[in-house]
Amino acid sequence: MTTRRFSGLLCPVVTPFCDDLAPDGELLAAQCRWLLSQHSGLAVFGTNSEANSLSVDEKLDLLDTLVDCGIDPERLMPGTGCCALTDTVRLTRRAVELGCGGVLMLPPFYYKHVSDEGLWRSFAEIIDRVGDARLQIYLYHIPPVSQVPLTLPLIERLVREFPDTIAGIKDSSGDWANTAALLERQWDDFRVFCGSEAFLLPTMRAGGAGCISATANINPAAIHDLYANWQADDAKERQHALNDLRDLVQVLPMIPALKSVVAHFSGVTRWRNVRPPLVALTDAQRDGLITSLAGEGFDMPGLPGGG
Amino acid sequence: MTTRRFSGLLCPVVTPFCDDLAPDGELLAAQCRWLLSQHSGLAVFGTNSEANSLSVDEKLDLLDTLVDCGIDPERLMPGTGCCALTDTVRLTRRAVELGCGGVLMLPPFYYKHVSDEGLWRSFAEIIDRVGDARLQIYLYHIPPVSQVPLTLPLIERLVREFPDTIAGIKDSSGDWANTAALLERQWDDFRVFCGSEAFLLPTMRAGGAGCISATANINPAAIHDLYANWQADDAKERQHALNDLRDLVQVLPMIPALKSVVAHFSGVTRWRNVRPPLVALTDAQRDGLITSLAGEGFDMPGLPGGG
């Protein structure tokens, strides 16, 4: 296989909704273009994209729109893991057909306490049904949300059985010991991404590939800078600066907070919209957040305005 | 409103899959006819139906097939709650159009630790979008699986705001104190169903409506008998007998176990098929279960064979 695998920073791009809560594909495409200009890849349809509040048809439409709008599919790593095997296969197949560089795949997440054998069969069946050698799967381990962890023995079995397809993992466990254990394995060209830039420096020092983090929606250039300069003398200071910014945001519900920041700096108020069961920030929460960010001299230059 | 609400026993009907894991709608319809003959209503697309391993299109097709095959829609309470608002609306709307007596609705279950306000908006938006006075929603509280509980204040707010639509609840918390608290509320014509027949007698004694239980797939007549005779002198003995049978099954993974029993007594081996991430019982597990049931004189008379 000569497929290129991802490295660096990828952003689980927040999804814009019109006031009737329909996805706004063109605004998403404009946001993706801006993120690419900030050296971020595009992990669309992630947790922070409210991907699981979108139907499969809505995701297929958005993916088509992104490619139609000229977004380079090689920079796209859409989330395609659904509860239903047939949904995951449908979405993954389209991503491959469109030339996406990879997919980020949740395990089926409704049934809990399922066996490694059952999860293995799920991934194996998906790979078999998609049936395309171009498929590059990045596993998505996010037990605080999915409540369905991917264990090391399961991951190892998948890597050994499908070395050309299982390309890496996003570890959003928040548990550095787990990320470290994955990094220690050093499977051939298996890419380990931390799920928060708070772990970026230790991830790079241990041979990791980069990070896929919510905060990339608002702070991509600085996160990429640390990725590109992790061996620089000031790397630790850069890490601290990233953490300080993240701390301002993550005291609030993350997705509404990120959308409020994008809305403020773009002037496009519909960015504030979220689908239930999420709730937008209150005015007070929003004002407090923007004031805090302004106090740090934070800005998002070049962010696209509304159409 | 003159809409009739459900009471008695309903079964979260297991979903048959062909060997390629496609749903077998005609076999499901035959099974539903048998369940109706055993005095069980049809809570198709429940947790034990592997509903969340089916796409929305697959569920729509199955629902159409059931009605086409002559199943009385008034006896159907399909599960329609998905992660995505648009999926829930689509499936619920069709259920109402087909004349289903009600729907059993999970909250959106991917995002965890969401607020009551967010869940309220989710249900309110669904009710608004379906926009049909015939809609009868039975809330589905199953925190061990969904990991998204429905709190008493949320339920009370929904009942007060939508008294003609919020028809009842299935409480699969496994926590009798929660079921008892719901029963104490005595909201006008709000139907409380326990999620396991192990709680059927206390539920009936406290004014409940009945139960919606996985084990109804294999033991419907006996569970219905206790429902119909909960004031009889031997009610306690009937409850014990139900519990003894349930205990034989629930030491194994519930869904594969139920499917193995149906496969054995119908002679239709494809009933054993499950979709990943579930795994069918091993031969040893299956033989042990059937032997245990035979030792209790268990049978499933009249079960339909394969087409």
Side-chain angles (χ1 to χ4, degrees):
Chain A
M1 293 291 297
T2 56
T3 312
R4 269 184 38 210
R5 292 187 169 170
F6 282 96
S7 58
L9 172 65
L10 288 99
C11 178
V13 191
V14 286
T15 304
F17 295 114
C18 304
D19 290 342
D20 67 356
L21 301 182
D24 185 336
E26 302 206 352
L27 183 55
L28 179 63
Q31 193 70 7
C32 285
R33 266 193 296 275
W34 178 78
L35 285 162
L36 289 172
S37 79
Q38 307 293 301
H39 311 289
S40 177
L42 303 168
V44 296
F45 312 153
T47 296
N48 284 280
S49 315
E50 298 170 77
N52 289 307
S53 298
L54 298 168
S55 70
V56 172
D57 284 334
E58 288 171 328
K59 285 183 260 199
L60 290 171
D61 284 350
L62 284 173
L63 208 49
D64 286 346
T65 300
L66 292 179
V67 175
D68 288 348
C69 287
I71 301 297
D72 179 1
E74 286 192 14
R75 302 297 305 278
L76 283 166
M77 186 200 283
T80 62
C82 305
C83 288
L85 175 73
T86 40
D87 282 335
T88 303
V89 168
R90 191 163 160 242
L91 194 48
T92 303
R93 189 180 283 145
R94 178 75 70 92
V96 173
E97 286 167 359
L98 288 171
C100 291
V103 299
L104 188 57
M105 195 174 286
L106 280 169
F109 54 81
Y110 181 68
Y111 296 98
K112 308 303 188 295
H113 310 294
V114 293
S115 63
D116 275 6
E117 174 66 22
L119 291 172
W120 190 85
R121 288 186 194 189
S122 172
F123 286 108
E125 186 77 23
I126 292 159
I127 292 167
D128 181 60
R129 290 186 182 212
V130 172
D132 193 313
R134 293 171 296 175
L135 174 60
Q136 294 285 290
I137 294 177
Y138 295 80
L139 303 169
Y140 190 5
H141 177 59
I142 183 169
V145 184
S146 68
Q147 301 282 337
V148 179
L150 303 174
T151 67
L152 277 168
L154 168 65
I155 298 164
E156 177 143 30
R157 186 176 172 195
L158 285 165
V159 170
R160 300 239 176 272
E161 186 82 11
F162 305 108
D164 295 335
T165 304
I166 302 294
I169 192 165
K170 176 185 180 189
D171 183 359
S172 295
S173 63
D175 172 12
W176 172 250
N178 190 68
T179 313
L182 283 163
L183 287 160
E184 276 164 20
R185 292 302 188 277
Q186 305 202 328
W187 295 309
D188 185 36
D189 206 23
F190 181 81
R191 304 293 173 103
V192 177
F193 293 84
C194 51
S196 159
E197 77 278 15
F199 299 109
L200 181 52
L201 189 51
T203 296
M204 296 311 298
R205 285 176 172 166
C211 86
I212 306 173
S213 174
T215 337
N217 278 286
I218 60 170
N219 200 26
I223 303 175
H224 175 264
D225 275 354
L226 175 56
Y227 163 74
N229 298 289
W230 67 271
Q231 296 182 90
D233 291 340
D234 65 348
K236 219 166 177 175
E237 288 69 42
R238 290 174 190 257
Q239 179 72 69
H240 289 155
L242 297 185
N243 297 355
D244 289 346
L245 185 81
R246 185 177 176 93
D247 289 345
L248 291 182
V249 181
Q250 71 182 5
V251 293
L252 293 166
M254 181 63 94
I255 299 170
L258 295 170
K259 290 185 125 176
S260 283
V261 175
V262 174
H264 176 81
F265 286 97
S266 66
V268 181
T269 54
R270 68 182 178 282
W271 266 117
R272 292 179 194 158
N273 295 335
V274 293
R275 278 195 172 177
L278 302 187
V279 177
L281 296 192
T282 63
D283 289 356
Q285 287 175 317
R286 201 169 61 226
D287 292 348
L289 175 59
I290 299 301
T291 304
S292 302
L293 290 170
E296 301 290 319
F298 176 83
D299 197 8
M300 295 179 72
L303 203 59
Chain B
M1 292 291 296
T2 56
T3 312
R4 269 184 37 211
R5 291 188 168 170
F6 281 97
S7 59
L9 172 65
L10 288 99
C11 177
V13 191
V14 286
T15 305
F17 294 115
C18 304
D19 289 342
D20 66 356
L21 300 183
D24 184 337
E26 302 207 351
L27 183 55
L28 179 62
Q31 193 71 8
C32 286
R33 265 192 296 274
W34 179 78
L35 286 162
L36 288 172
S37 78
Q38 308 292 301
H39 311 287
S40 177
L42 304 168
V44 295
F45 311 154
T47 297
N48 285 281
S49 315
E50 297 170 78
N52 289 307
S53 298
L54 297 167
S55 71
V56 173
D57 285 333
E58 287 171 328
K59 284 182 261 200
L60 290 171
D61 284 350
L62 284 173
L63 207 50
D64 286 345
T65 300
L66 292 179
V67 175
D68 288 347
C69 288
I71 300 297
D72 179 1
E74 286 191 14
R75 303 297 306 277
L76 284 166
M77 186 199 284
T80 61
C82 305
C83 288
L85 176 72
T86 39
D87 282 335
T88 302
V89 168
R90 190 163 160 241
L91 194 48
T92 303
R93 189 179 284 146
R94 178 74 70 92
V96 173
E97 287 167 357
L98 287 172
C100 292
V103 299
L104 187 59
M105 197 176 285
L106 280 169
F109 54 82
Y110 181 68
Y111 295 98
K112 307 304 189 295
H113 309 293
V114 294
S115 63
D116 274 6
E117 175 64 23
L119 291 173
W120 190 85
R121 289 186 194 190
S122 173
F123 286 109
E125 186 77 22
I126 291 160
I127 292 167
D128 181 61
R129 290 187 181 212
V130 172
D132 193 313
R134 293 171 295 174
L135 174 59
Q136 294 286 290
I137 295 177
Y138 295 80
L139 303 168
Y140 191 5
H141 177 59
I142 182 169
V145 184
S146 68
Q147 301 282 336
V148 179
L150 303 175
T151 67
L152 277 168
L154 169 66
I155 297 164
E156 177 143 29
R157 187 177 171 194
L158 286 165
V159 170
R160 300 240 175 272
E161 186 81 12
F162 306 108
D164 295 335
T165 305
I166 302 294
I169 192 165
K170 176 186 180 188
D171 184 359
S172 295
S173 64
D175 172 12
W176 172 251
N178 190 69
T179 312
L182 284 163
L183 287 161
E184 277 164 21
R185 291 303 187 275
Q186 303 201 329
W187 295 307
D188 185 36
D189 207 23
F190 181 81
R191 306 292 172 104
V192 177
F193 293 84
C194 51
S196 159
E197 76 278 15
F199 298 110
L200 182 52
L201 188 53
T203 296
M204 295 312 297
R205 285 177 173 168
C211 87
I212 306 173
S213 174
T215 336
N217 278 286
I218 59 170
N219 199 27
I223 302 175
H224 176 264
D225 275 354
L226 174 55
Y227 163 75
N229 298 288
W230 67 271
Q231 298 182 89
D233 290 341
D234 64 348
K236 220 165 176 176
E237 287 69 41
R238 288 173 192 259
Q239 179 72 69
H240 289 156
L242 296 185
N243 296 356
D244 288 347
L245 185 80
R246 187 178 175 94
D247 288 346
L248 290 181
V249 180
Q250 72 181 5
V251 293
L252 293 166
M254 181 62 94
I255 299 169
L258 295 171
K259 289 184 125 176
S260 283
V261 174
V262 174
H264 177 79
F265 286 97
S266 66
V268 181
T269 54
R270 69 181 178 283
W271 267 116
R272 292 180 194 160
N273 295 336
V274 292
R275 278 196 172 176
L278 303 187
V279 177
L281 297 192
T282 63
D283 290 354
Q285 287 175 318
R286 202 168 60 227
D287 292 348
L289 176 58
I290 299 301
T291 304
S292 303
L293 291 170
E296 300 291 318
F298 177 82
D299 197 7
M300 295 179 73
L303 202 61

